[in-house]
Amino acid sequence: MDKEFTLSGFSLGEGVDSWNTITFLYNSALKKVRTKVEILNDEFQQVHQYNPIEYIKSRIKTPRSIVKKLKRYGYESSINNMVNYVNDIAGIRIVCSFTSDIYKLSEMLGKQNDLTVISVKDYIRHPKESGYKSYHMLVTVPVFLSEYTIDTKVEIQIRTMAMDFWASLEHKIYYKFEGNAPAYISRDLRECSDIVSMLDAKMLQLNEAIKEAKAAQEDDMM
Ligand code: 0O2
């Protein structure tokens, strides 16, 4: 008999059909979260005439990458282990202009009634050893099907454009060297991560200065 597991009360076996069902579920969850984020962005534009989000990317983790992660965690490759132990099968990345937008957005997402925040990792206040900076929220979102409602996990990563640039480059290097980059490259990457923080802080300051100068100009014209 097929090994069975449940996904919040929804029972599946191992095999291609289950994989297809899982992909469908995670894709549906991604669509829901993406729409929520887009609505928040539109509302922000409506109220403050300003868009906090530069761009959004979403993806379903490839089977290869899932198997690699399970192996890294010491679990055998099964649909059961995948659903239980790999938290970022559905991932959405929100890229903002300023660090302050990241916290505003995460707060707004945390207040959504049908999103349950499972965990938060603030790699901006507490960067990783590598220099990686990003704000991660693991949430579940209910996917309403004809006969079931299934709470499905989505990992939300929120970061600035500068952080995203750094992470993309570091990711490529990491894979090129399979985790064994020469020490000077890792050191230079950490240095670049500090520069990213300086750039983000400076751009935020500049943005505030622009807003103040504009307001002062408008006051003078009245
Ligand atoms: P990929 O190829 O991008 O998908 P947990 O979720 O708690 O079981 P995990 O997965 O270590 O443990 O969680 P964490 O720390 O939230 O990391 C999840 C994802 O964040 C990673 O997925 C990366 O996308 C990104 N990330 C974390 N650390 C780094 C880093 O040092 N550099 C870069 N560039 N990205 C990082 P994957 O599956 O590891 O990789």
Side-chain angles (χ1 to χ4, degrees):
M1 203 180 94
D2 262 354
K3 214 178 351 171
E4 294 237 317
F5 72 96
T6 53
L7 190 71
S8 301
F10 191 70
S11 191
L12 284 168
E14 295 287 336
V16 176
D17 281 353
S18 294
W19 168 251
N20 288 341
T21 308
I22 294 279
T23 310
F24 159 73
L25 271 178
Y26 282 110
N27 261 318
S28 307
L30 269 185
K31 271 191 211 163
K32 275 198 80 169
V33 176
R34 196 182 174 114
T35 304
K36 273 180 180 301
V37 174
E38 282 168 358
I39 291 173
L40 287 174
N41 198 36
D42 292 349
E43 186 204 354
F44 223 83
Q45 170 67 42
Q46 183 87 8
V47 178
H48 305 285
Q49 289 76 51
Y50 162 70
N51 282 336
I53 298 171
E54 288 295 328
Y55 51 91
I56 304 170
K57 293 184 218 167
S58 54
R59 63 100 182 95
I60 296 289
K61 211 173 179 68
T62 60
R64 196 165 168 224
S65 188
I66 294 171
V67 167
K68 225 169 144 182
K69 198 158 199 172
L70 280 175
K71 204 168 163 190
R72 176 148 62 89
Y73 289 166
Y75 295 112
E76 64 175 62
S77 300
S78 68
I79 299 239
N80 193 7
N81 286 343
M82 180 181 123
V83 169
N84 287 321
Y85 301 116
V86 182
N87 289 329
D88 61 342
I89 295 177
I92 179 158
R93 186 169 295 154
I94 307 168
V95 179
C96 301
S97 306
F98 305 107
T99 314
S100 53
D101 296 330
I102 297 174
Y103 291 103
K104 257 181 236 153
L105 206 60
S106 64
E107 204 188 316
M108 293 194 285
L109 282 168
K111 285 184 186 156
Q112 300 269 308
N113 277 341
D114 57 346
L115 274 193
T116 305
V117 180
I118 306 286
S119 64
V120 166
K121 291 181 192 169
D122 188 347
Y123 295 127
I124 298 172
R125 290 199 173 110
H126 309 285
K128 281 198 156 181
E129 179 69 23
S130 60
Y132 177 74
K133 294 191 188 86
S134 192
Y135 190 91
H136 292 193
M137 296 173 86
L138 179 65
V139 302
T140 62
V141 64
V143 177
F144 298 102
L145 303 176
S146 54
E147 291 183 41
Y148 304 91
T149 299
I150 302 165
D151 288 326
T152 309
K153 281 188 272 189
V154 176
E155 188 193 68
I156 307 174
Q157 298 183 349
I158 321 176
R159 48 172 84 151
T160 63
M161 284 195 280
M163 291 173 197
D164 193 44
F165 176 48
W166 184 96
S168 303
L169 189 63
E170 194 263 358
H171 197 271
K172 274 183 213 147
I173 292 170
Y174 186 88
Y175 279 102
K176 261 196 188 113
F177 290 104
E178 293 186 333
N180 292 311
Y184 76 95
I185 290 186
S186 301
R187 194 194 55 229
D188 282 1
L189 276 167
R190 279 194 293 273
E191 236 176 79
C192 285
S193 169
D194 292 339
I195 297 170
V196 161
S197 298
M198 278 190 278
L199 179 65
D200 276 337
K202 191 75 198 163
M203 293 307 262
L204 180 62
Q205 223 177 46
L206 197 56
N207 190 50
E208 293 304 317
I210 290 168
K211 281 197 282 191
E212 277 170 31
K214 185 94 184 107
Q217 235 177 34
E218 279 166 4
D219 281 351
D220 284 351
M221 286 195 315
M222 279 213 261

